[in-house]
Amino acid sequence: MRGLLQGLTVLVWGLALAWGSAPALTFDPSHLAAYARQHYGAKAERAVNAWQAMLSQAAGGDEQEKLRQTNAFWNQALIGGEDITIWGKTDYWATPLESLAKGAGDCEDYVIGKYFSLLRLGVPPEKLRLVYVRAQIGSQSIAHMVLGYYPTPQAEPLVLDSLIDRIQPAHLRPDLTPVFSFNAEGVYVPGGGRRSVDQIGRWRDLLGKMRAEGFQP
């Protein structure tokens, strides 16, 4: 995370989005469950099946219900930890399947799981952003990531966070200071418009791993 935070200008919550179209996340549920079992074992298969059950249940709700169920699922499915402990690496972006197999993740992994779950549920990708923030926890300011949901292009976002379970509008989270945000359509910085997300190498690597698992992000 530290490397991504360097060299990017401070971003306010309300920077306007340019909305376009992008494909939703697709996958074969039976293939994904079989992949999980083959590569990670029966426990991972059960976790993937629980994820798919949540997606099926949430599919009939409106966007607010999809947000609620997705946020609750991932906050309960993973135990928070550091990449060095979970993966033996200082910074690792896990796919949703990898996170479910481990049952653990850091802040990026929670957000990645929520982001792709909501894409699968049909939430337009233009409404979602992975947002790097500084989080004030007691006397410490730490690098952190949350998911922002923008109901309209210039709306104040709702914040989906692994630190607290309640989804809240950004103005009720004064403990979070936005740094920059991105989604599949680009990186958003003030004064420079939208930049290509390809500049984020870990994002490219994440999508490559997901495709190898059977996702079509």
Side-chain angles (χ1 to χ4, degrees), residues 8 14 18 27 29 36 55 61 93 109 131 154 162 165 184 188-189 203 206:
L8 286 168
F27 58 84
L55 293 174
W93 289 16
D109 302 326
V131 186
Q154 297 188 30
S162 56
D165 291 333
Y188 300 89
V189 296
W203 180 254
L206 174 69

Side-chain angles (χ1 to χ4, degrees), residues 2-217:
R2 187 175 303 166
L4 284 174
L5 292 175
Q6 295 173 347
L8 286 168
T9 313
V10 171
L11 177 71
V12 297
W13 284 115
L15 181 65
L17 292 165
W19 282 10
S21 60
L25 179 73
T26 60
F27 58 84
D28 179 339
S30 60
H31 167 82
L32 202 63
Y35 185 99
R37 183 178 185 87
Q38 178 182 356
H39 289 82
Y40 301 110
K43 183 177 179 180
E45 181 185 22
R46 290 193 295 271
V48 169
N49 286 336
W51 178 42
Q52 294 186 32
M54 182 278 292
L55 293 174
S56 296
Q57 182 177 6
D62 59 16
E63 286 190 356
Q64 293 296 319
E65 181 63 14
K66 291 173 180 177
L67 293 176
R68 187 193 67 76
Q69 290 203 40
T70 294
N71 191 62
F73 174 84
W74 283 99
N75 282 4
Q76 294 168 12
L78 305 184
I79 297 172
E82 299 294 331
D83 285 333
I84 193 66
T85 303
I86 300 168
W87 298 103
K89 300 179 181 181
T90 56
D91 197 4
Y92 184 81
W93 289 16
T95 69
L97 193 153
E98 287 177 320
S99 293
L100 291 170
K102 286 284 188 180
D106 72 352
C107 59
E108 290 103 338
D109 302 326
Y110 284 93
V111 172
I112 288 166
K114 294 173 187 181
Y115 175 79
F116 285 108
S117 295
L118 291 168
L119 290 188
R120 174 68 172 181
L121 289 169
V123 176
E126 302 85 5
K127 293 186 175 184
L128 302 170
R129 287 201 211 163
L130 299 86
V131 186
Y132 273 103
V133 299
R134 299 296 305 186
Q136 192 69 33
I137 301 178
S139 61
Q140 284 189 314
S141 175
I142 66 168
H144 186 52
M145 183 187 274
V146 299
L147 184 65
Y149 166 79
Y150 296 75
T152 62
Q154 297 188 30
E156 176 188 24
L158 297 175
V159 178
L160 286 69
D161 191 0
S162 56
L163 295 177
I164 63 173
D165 291 333
R166 186 177 180 183
I167 299 173
Q168 294 179 305
H171 79 272
L172 293 181
R173 295 300 308 275
D175 57 313
L176 303 180
T177 302
V179 179
F180 74 98
S181 66
F182 69 97
N183 58 20
E185 299 191 330
V187 178
Y188 300 89
V189 296
R194 186 174 61 190
R195 301 178 186 177
S196 173
V197 74
D198 288 341
Q199 67 183 287
I200 302 179
R202 289 187 183 88
W203 180 254
R204 297 195 307 269
D205 294 343
L206 174 69
L207 296 185
K209 290 188 298 180
M210 290 183 66
R211 293 185 183 104
E213 293 171 344
F215 294 99
Q216 291 299 320

